[in-house]
Amino acid sequence: MSGIVSKFGGTSMQDALCIKRSAELCLKRKSNIVVVSATAGTTNDLIKLGEVSEKNQLVEAKGLLQKIEQKHLQIATELGLADSYVKQVQLLLSEMDSISRGISLLQDCSAKARDVLVSLGERLSSVLFTGALEQKAVGQKVQLLDVRTVLKTDDTFGRARPLVSEIAKRCESLIKDLNSVIYVTQGFIGQTLNGATTTLGRGGSDYSAALLAEGIQADVLEIWTDVAGVSSTDPRIAPEAVVIDEISFKEMSELATFGAKVLHPATLLPAIRQNIPVLVASSFEPEKPGTWVRREVKNLPLIRALALRKKQTLVTLSTPEMLHSHGFLYQLFKVFNDHRISIDAITTSEISVSVTIDNADTLSQQVISDLEKVADVQIEKDLSLISLIGNNINHTPGLAKKIFETIADVNVRMICYGASRHNFCFLVDESHGVSVIQKLHQKFITNS
Ligand code: ADP
Ligand code: ASP
Ligand code: MG
């Protein structure tokens, strides 16, 4: 198979005008599969709805239900959608109402129930988009595909992992008419083999699109968003950030993993496996060239981009028993593994190990007490992880000196250097994170 998979993020779906513009873009680009996110803000509202329903806060729940309902019905009206689409929207809205009621009655919003509830964001937006695209795609067949029939996952609700070979099989059997049909489907959501709805984690629509691109062995994956491509750092932090014309898979994987929200960190895994080039561009300014993410790129600068990842926790584990002994690291990592906690950066000394984890991977009392069985545990919160991403980083003399001279007044808590050609990262106090990025951007990008 082959084809183009185009994904539209929440802001590209935020109102009738954006949906129309995105639909026109699909036709212009000759997209074969269109993957959509929920309309902007809806996933947050659905998560909040789950929380207030669980606490039986009926007034707040009613307010959120009405907000989501009005937003989607208004878009349907403004788009002038056919009755059949409006009915589908209404059915989904009444499903939302019932689930919220069920959660209130049970006063329990399990991860499994939450996934069903939040799946409604993408299920609603995909109906709106299909209707809008059908109006414009004269002479072409448009089909709404329930992605759950294809995108099979394990049962880690809230952060489900895809079952890649199952997805490939279903792509082959269910997405058959790529030459004559434009398929519109949902990002972010999936389904276990037993039929339970799952989600891939926040921002996961990029990942869904990449998995489908892999499933159909697409020629191109397009990520349409609200910025004109991948920039040298988050443009909200440094307005002088410049859009990168092309970046390698390896650099972009590091950039996404270390904080650039523009792509979900797992997005490139399927693209790398199938060597599918990825275009990141703005649906608001589609005439701009955007950023190409590819296996091979022409330029390989020392520092290409900077990323900031906030809300990091540093866990330092120490024990004199580590001196000249073996197996200590195994025991520690086993605890993190048993609790499915992902570690980002690590440094070790003779008797201690420091690891960083994202605050989202909460350190429960159980994790701490399991770690305490092996070592003394020290926890520092509210840190920011600063990453410089580029090429040949661990073979360039004088780089560390330049970095730390630029931010000489800031206390650095932990440094990770040497393991990757593409990344140099360190931790600073959260209050310094933004200014450190700004200073380093000035030094390594603007003035380089
Ligand atoms: P979407 O809803 O389209 O998925 P996101 O909000 O998830 O969009 O991602 C786009 C946002 O990512 C941009 O608005 C921008 O603020 C942020 N961002 C962070 N780092 C970068 C970067 N290096 N380049 C471009 N955008 C970035
Ligand atoms: N709607 C989901 C979220 O807000 C997924 C996505 O937009 O990528 O996290
Ligand atoms: Mg996103």
Side-chain angles (χ1 to χ4, degrees):
M1 285 194 279
S2 61
I4 297 176
V5 176
S6 308
K7 175 256 169 178
F8 291 87
T11 39
S12 305
M13 298 287 297
Q14 70 192 2
D15 53 31
L17 189 67
C18 289
I19 292 180
K20 276 191 206 167
R21 190 169 35 219
S22 300
E24 274 159 20
L25 196 49
C26 285
L27 296 174
K28 203 162 159 214
R29 306 289 301 187
K30 302 198 178 347
S31 312
N32 301 93
I33 301 183
V34 185
V35 179
V36 297
S37 289
T39 56
T42 300
T43 306
N44 287 346
D45 286 340
L46 287 165
I47 290 172
K48 186 92 200 130
L49 177 61
E51 285 166 10
V52 296
S53 304
E54 185 175 36
K55 291 186 200 142
N56 209 15
Q57 295 171 343
L58 298 180
V59 179
E60 288 81 354
K62 196 167 172 216
L64 285 161
L65 287 164
Q66 276 174 352
K67 181 180 171 195
I68 297 168
E69 185 176 313
Q70 272 166 16
K71 187 203 268 185
H72 289 84
L73 289 176
Q74 186 180 338
I75 296 178
T77 309
E78 284 174 14
L79 288 170
L81 293 190
D83 281 354
S84 61
Y85 287 107
V86 178
K87 278 203 187 99
Q88 286 183 64
V89 169
Q90 279 163 341
L91 264 177
L92 291 168
L93 291 169
S94 71
E95 184 179 330
M96 172 175 75
D97 205 83
S98 308
I99 296 169
S100 154
R101 243 179 257 259
I103 292 171
S104 290
L105 283 170
L106 296 171
Q107 298 201 7
D108 183 10
C109 184
S110 65
K112 190 174 179 182
R114 190 182 308 117
D115 273 0
V116 183
L117 185 61
V118 298
S119 76
L120 283 156
E122 272 68 11
R123 287 160 65 205
L124 280 162
S125 65
S126 58
V127 173
L128 297 175
F129 197 91
T130 308
L133 185 59
E134 202 179 60
Q135 289 172 343
K136 294 185 183 293
V138 185
Q140 267 182 289
K141 198 168 168 225
V142 177
Q143 188 181 316
L144 177 60
L145 171 79
D146 186 337
V147 83
R148 293 171 296 180
T149 58
V150 176
L151 211 146
K152 297 295 165 184
T153 71
D154 72 3
D155 63 357
T156 318
F157 296 102
R159 244 183 210 210
R161 280 173 284 213
L163 305 176
V164 174
S165 57
E166 297 290 340
I167 296 171
K169 269 193 248 163
R170 285 164 174 81
C171 278
E172 213 163 305
S173 60
L174 297 171
I175 310 181
K176 277 199 251 181
D177 302 319
L178 283 168
N179 291 329
S180 54
V181 176
I182 309 175
Y183 294 91
V184 177
T185 196
Q186 306 81 25
F188 183 51
I189 70 175
Q191 193 181 58
T192 65
L193 293 173
N194 290 332
T197 297
T198 54
T199 61
L200 302 180
R202 293 308 305 269
S205 295
D206 302 326
Y207 191 24
S208 307
L211 288 162
L212 294 173
E214 179 180 37
I216 66 154
Q217 292 152 24
D219 305 299
V220 176
L221 166 62
E222 300 178 341
I223 305 288
W224 294 100
T225 182
D226 59 351
V227 284
V230 179
S231 288
S232 48
T233 195
D234 187 340
R236 288 172 302 188
I237 301 179
E240 70 275 22
V242 284
V243 176
I244 298 164
D245 56 352
E246 58 170 7
I247 180 168
S248 69
F249 281 145
K250 285 185 181 150
E251 292 169 90
M252 191 63 225
S253 299
E254 296 272 358
L255 194 55
T257 305
F258 283 85
K261 193 193 165 210
V262 66
L263 275 191
H264 181 279
T267 309
L268 293 176
L269 297 173
I272 292 170
R273 287 195 291 260
Q274 283 288 334
N275 193 16
I276 302 169
V278 181
L279 173 69
V280 181
S282 165
S283 71
F284 295 80
E285 299 174 293
E287 63 291 347
K288 293 201 171 164
T291 302
W292 280 99
V293 191
R294 294 192 173 103
R295 185 179 282 172
E296 306 287 343
V297 294
K298 280 187 216 100
N299 294 324
L300 295 169
L302 175 62
I303 305 297
R304 173 106 63 189
L306 296 127
L308 170 68
R309 199 159 146 174
K310 292 183 178 167
K311 297 198 178 115
Q312 301 297 294
T313 301
L314 180 66
V315 186
T316 302
L317 303 144
S318 44
T319 168
E321 281 163 35
M322 189 170 156
L323 201 63
H324 303 308
S325 72
H326 60 87
F328 175 64
L329 291 178
Y330 167 77
Q331 288 174 324
L332 290 181
F333 292 137
K334 186 168 180 319
V335 175
F336 288 113
N337 183 55
D338 290 347
H339 291 275
R340 292 185 164 190
I341 291 176
S342 155
I343 294 167
D344 295 311
I346 308 171
T347 56
T348 72
S349 76
E350 186 62 49
I351 61 156
S352 64
V353 184
S354 293
V355 302
T356 67
I357 60 169
D358 209 274
N359 273 14
D361 279 329
T362 31
L363 273 183
S364 64
Q365 199 43 54
Q366 187 58 52
V367 182
I368 297 171
S369 59
D370 285 354
L371 288 169
E372 279 171 343
K373 287 178 195 148
V374 198
D376 292 333
V377 182
Q378 194 199 332
I379 294 171
E380 291 166 69
K381 291 195 168 165
D382 300 325
L383 298 164
S384 280
L385 189 61
I386 308 287
S387 303
L388 293 97
I389 313 280
N391 297 281
N392 224 17
I393 282 184
N394 56 358
H395 286 90
T396 304
L399 176 62
K401 181 168 175 267
K402 257 199 205 168
I403 293 172
F404 294 119
E405 267 174 7
T406 311
I407 51 156
D409 51 337
V410 175
N411 181 35
V412 173
R413 276 300 296 115
M414 172 184 152
I415 304 169
C416 251
Y417 177 44
S420 168
R421 273 181 169 269
H422 303 288
N423 187 345
F424 185 121
C425 65
F426 56 89
L427 277 178
V428 298
D429 195 85
E430 195 105 296
S431 58
H432 295 301
V434 167
S435 69
V436 166
I437 290 279
Q438 288 166 342
K439 282 183 194 158
L440 292 174
H441 190 275
Q442 186 81 23
K443 171 87 181 172
F444 288 96
I445 309 284
T446 312
N447 295 340
S448 77

